[in-house]
Amino acid sequence: MVEQGYPGGDQSSPGPADPAIQEFLQLVNAKRRSVGCPELKWDNRLAIVALKHSRDMVFRHFFGHTNPDGKDPFERLQESKVVFSTAAENIAFGPKTGRQAFETWLRSPEHRKNMLDCRFTRHGVAYVGDRWTHLLLKPMEEDDLGSGLNGLLLKSPLILDFERTLPPGSDFNIQQVSFQVLISGVIHKKVGVFKCGLRNSAQ
């Protein structure tokens, strides 16, 4: 079974020698340059996380961002001690070459948006058989941290999951919201009640 994703060396090494991965790296960075985005820098840590997810999809016979244990990409990054301010994951089932993987994601609006998001500066990609995983992120910077709550809150917290759990109230649109927020690279689940505005009674 073909399994490729990362070379030895430091996290900023140019990338693996595997031709399919090299082809993908060249294509994605050429496309990013064409739309005015900076090239993505290779990150071995991301490639290792990507490789593990591709391998997991093959050996546990599933295809998805959330594995059978219920862990999503953000939790897998957290487990690998990767600190980031925002991140995204693309997966593909079927490509045999780097070009096929690139074109598959380019044709999909959401995957294309991730690949060409100028906020992202680092990435790692890997495949096992025909399961591909591409992780992109913007590293956490010191100035991303806010001063509230003993300095633990981000200035602009990244909400990763958002679910309405209560219907509107009688006087206000009151909804209980469960969400996950990234604080210093760690995902925290929160539940809160928010007043969303007066209900429409005059129209």
Side-chain angles (χ1 to χ4, degrees), residues 175-186:
Q175 297 174 329
Q176 186 175 10
V177 178
S178 89
F179 60 93
Q180 294 178 340
V181 61
L182 183 70
I183 300 175
S184 298
V186 178

Side-chain angles (χ1 to χ4, degrees), residues 44-111:
N44 277 352
R45 301 166 307 161
L46 299 184
I48 292 170
V49 176
L51 180 64
K52 288 179 179 178
H53 187 57
S54 288
R55 183 189 296 143
D56 193 28
M57 287 192 289
V58 169
F59 287 101
R60 290 207 279 177
H61 308 290
F62 75 97
F63 179 70
H65 294 287
T66 302
N67 66 24
D69 301 321
K71 294 179 180 177
D72 62 27
F74 309 103
E75 291 169 301
R76 292 192 291 273
L77 288 168
Q78 178 188 346
E79 284 185 345
S80 298
K81 312 300 183 186
V82 177
V83 179
F84 58 94
S85 63
T86 187
E89 177 183 79
N90 286 344
I91 56 175
F93 180 7
K96 304 296 185 184
T97 67
R99 179 174 292 276
Q100 288 177 1
F102 172 75
E103 291 177 349
T104 295
W105 286 326
L106 199 64
R107 287 194 298 267
S108 164
E110 287 304 314
H111 296 94

Side-chain angles (χ1 to χ4, degrees), residues 153-174:
L153 291 179
L154 298 178
K155 289 179 181 177
S156 300
L158 172 65
I159 295 176
L160 305 177
D161 184 51
F162 187 96
E163 181 183 358
R164 296 175 179 177
T165 58
L166 288 180
S170 56
D171 297 322
F172 287 87
N173 257 340
I174 300 178

